[in-house]
Structure formats: structure tokens, C-alpha cells
């Protein structure tokens, strides 16, 4: 009964995460982090998130296939893939409590970093996307999600709407697939994590499909505020759980 209730609760959160992420293009995994860390621990949470994000990004790739800028995707991924391998190997050598502290602090710093990046109105060239891929790839290997930081770079390149959603998703997909393979080789991921990731990924997809009907009347700024609230609450929750040894 406890397992059923746990999965029911996670499934509802997955639907909500997909609902929010379907509008603003990121954040589908952030809302899932605190409960997953509580249930599975910080190290196991990251590969579960990777599987969930893989499925979520794959759905966006299929939906926006015709709008994807494959040149950007190739340049970004070519430098991101080796970087994520390095980041994942760094992660497994770190103590679990340190991982939780890193995750909590990282989420809290996402809010001011993303706001600063939006104010700069940056313009990114194709070859600068290679450097972005390397940096984001390494970060993604260590932390669960970097979508909130990744987003401004793709927008700064000039991608909008379907081109942005599809290209960012395709580029991120290469990272998360690589991350899942590396975790499997390192013995971090097991069938329980795979099953949980697939289940949550399916819930996120359903939530994404529902988002167009439920929230199209709301402004993007409202969703950004909601997501920043979710990011802040998630970061604080993870830090408190780590301090209290929950």
C-alpha cells in the first residue's frame, strides 16, 4: 500500500511538472527532486531524473522535429557529451550529503543567475555554443538539471518557439542519454531506478499534453514566477533534509 501511495504521489507531481514545463520549456524535473531524494537518496535521484528528462525531451523532439536546428544541436552535443561523462564520474566520487548540499545550493542560485542572464540580452554565435555545451554538459553530469541555465543561451542564439523547444530538447537529449549510459556503466543505476524514471517520464509527457488546454490563457511571466517559487522551495527542502538527516 505504501508503494502504491508513493508512486501515486510521484505520478501527480510528474503530471504537474509536465504541466509547468510544457509552457516555459524547463523545470519538469526540478519539482520531482525533493521527494525523490527523500525516497531514493541523492545519488540515485540523479539517474532517475536523467531517465525522466530523456523521455520528456524525446517527446519535444518528435513534436518539433521539423523546426530543429541540427547544426546547433551537433556543435553543442559534440562538446557536451565528453563533458557530461567527466561530470558523472566526478559525481560518484562525492559523498551523498555533499551531493545534497550541492543540489540545494545550485537550485537556489539558479534564480538570480537566470534573471541576470535574461537582463544581459546576450547574442551567442554557433561556435560559442560549443563552449556552452561543454560547460552545461559538465554541470549536468554533477547536478540533476540545468534547464533553467541552458534556456537563455539557446534564446540568445536567436532560436524561438518550436525551433528553440526542439533544438534545446534534441541537444539536451544527447546529454541525458550519455548520462544514463555512464551511470549504468558505473553501477549507479538499477532496474528500480529505470522503472521509476520511465513511469515519471510518462507522467511528465501526459502533463505536457494537458498544458496547452489548461494554461494557455496565462502569461509566461506568471509561470516564470511559479517556477522560481518551485525552484526556491525545492532547494530549501533539499538543504533542510540534508541538515536534519531525513
Amino acid at each position: 500500500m505504501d508503494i502504491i501511495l508513493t508512486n501515486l504521489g510521484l505520478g501527480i507531481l510528474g503530471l504537474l511538472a509536465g504541466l509547468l514545463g510544457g509552457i516555459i520549456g524547463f523545470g519538469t524535473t526540478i519539482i520531482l527532486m525533493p521527494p525523490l531524494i527523500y525516497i531514493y537518496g541523492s545519488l540515485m535521484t540523479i539517474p532517475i531524473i536523467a531517465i525522466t528528462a530523456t523521455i520528456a525531451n524525446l517527446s519535444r523532439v518528435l513534436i518539433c522535429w521539423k523546426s530543429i536546428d541540427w547544426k546547433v544541436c551537433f556543435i553543442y552535443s559534440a562538446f557536451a557529451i565528453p563533458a557530461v561523462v567527466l561530470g558523472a564520474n566526478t559525481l560518484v566520487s562525492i559523498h551523498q550529503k555533499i551531493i545534497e548540499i550541492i543540489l540545494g545550493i545550485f537550485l537556489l542560485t539558479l534564480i538570480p543567475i537566470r534573471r541576470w542572464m535574461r537582463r544581459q540580452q546576450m547574442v551567442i554565435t554557433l561556435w560559442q555554443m560549443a563552449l556552452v555545451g561543454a560547460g552545461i554538459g559538465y554541470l549536468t553530469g554533477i547536478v540533476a538539471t540545468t534547464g533553467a541555465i541552458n534556456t537563455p543561451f539557446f534564446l540568445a542564439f536567436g532560436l524561438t518557439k518550436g525551433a528553440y523547444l526542439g533544438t534545446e530538447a534534441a541537444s539536451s537529449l544527447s546529454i541525458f542519454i550519455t548520462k544514463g549510459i555512464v551511470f549504468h556503466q558505473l553501477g549507479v543505476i538499477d532496474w528500480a531506478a529505470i522503472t521509476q524514471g520511465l513511469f515519471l517520464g510518462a507522467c511528465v509527457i501526459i502533463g505536457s499534453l494537458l498544458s496547452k488546454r489548461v494554461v494557455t490563457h496565462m502569461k509566461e511571466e506568471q509561470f516564470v514566477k511559479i517556477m522560481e517559487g518551485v525552484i526556491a522551495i525545492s532547494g530549501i527542502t533539499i538543504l533542510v533534509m540534508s541538515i536534519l538527516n531525513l
Side-chain angles (χ1 to χ4, degrees):
M1 180 61 71
D2 289 340
I3 295 177
I4 295 175
L5 291 176
T6 297
N7 284 309
L8 179 61
L10 287 174
I12 293 173
L13 285 177
L15 289 171
L16 179 60
L19 193 68
L20 292 172
I23 295 298
I24 60 177
F26 70 92
T28 54
T29 55
I30 290 175
I31 195 172
L32 296 170
M33 287 176 61
L36 286 175
I37 289 176
Y38 179 78
I39 297 169
Y40 294 102
S42 56
L43 185 59
M44 186 62 70
T45 291
I46 293 179
I48 292 175
I49 290 292
I51 295 172
T52 304
T54 297
I55 297 174
N57 281 301
L58 180 58
S59 67
R60 286 165 56 193
V61 168
L62 295 176
I63 292 172
C64 303
W65 181 269
K66 293 182 179 180
S67 302
I68 295 175
D69 188 326
W70 290 107
K71 185 181 293 185
V72 174
C73 182
F74 175 77
I75 294 295
Y76 180 96
S77 299
F79 287 80
I81 288 174
V84 76
V85 173
L86 179 61
N89 278 274
T90 302
L91 174 69
V92 297
S93 64
I94 302 175
H95 190 275
Q96 179 163 313
K97 184 168 287 294
I98 297 177
I99 296 173
E100 292 173 0
I101 294 173
I102 290 174
L103 289 174
I105 294 175
F106 179 77
L107 286 177
L108 292 177
T109 56
L110 275 181
I111 298 172
I113 289 174
R114 186 172 182 275
R115 287 182 178 180
W116 177 82
M117 291 176 68
R118 291 187 69 180
R119 289 197 302 268
Q120 300 310 302
Q121 297 182 340
M122 298 179 297
V123 177
I124 300 295
T125 65
L126 180 62
W127 292 107
Q128 286 174 328
M129 289 298 291
L131 298 177
V132 174
I136 296 296
Y138 183 74
L139 275 177
T140 308
I142 297 177
V143 299
T145 178
T146 53
I149 291 180
N150 209 21
T151 295
F153 290 109
F154 282 85
L155 295 176
F157 184 76
L159 300 173
T160 58
K161 298 182 180 180
Y164 151 67
L165 290 172
T167 305
E168 195 276 336
S171 301
S172 298
L173 188 61
S174 66
I175 290 179
F176 286 113
I177 290 176
T178 302
K179 192 174 180 178
I181 294 172
V182 172
F183 277 127
H184 176 69
Q185 292 176 338
L186 293 173
V188 176
I189 193 169
D190 56 19
W191 280 108
I194 293 173
T195 302
Q196 189 67 76
L198 292 174
F199 168 69
L200 291 175
C203 293
V204 167
I205 289 176
I206 295 172
S208 297
L209 294 175
L210 292 174
S211 64
K212 291 184 179 181
R213 295 185 178 182
V214 177
V215 293
T216 49
H217 64 285
M218 296 184 70
K219 296 180 180 179
E220 181 181 349
E221 289 76 9
Q222 292 176 299
F223 281 92
V224 171
K225 290 181 180 179
I226 292 173
M227 184 50 62
E228 286 186 349
V230 171
I231 292 173
I233 292 171
S234 297
I236 293 170
T237 301
I238 291 171
L239 287 174
V240 170
M241 288 193 303
S242 176
I243 293 171
L244 297 179
N245 293 315
L246 293 178

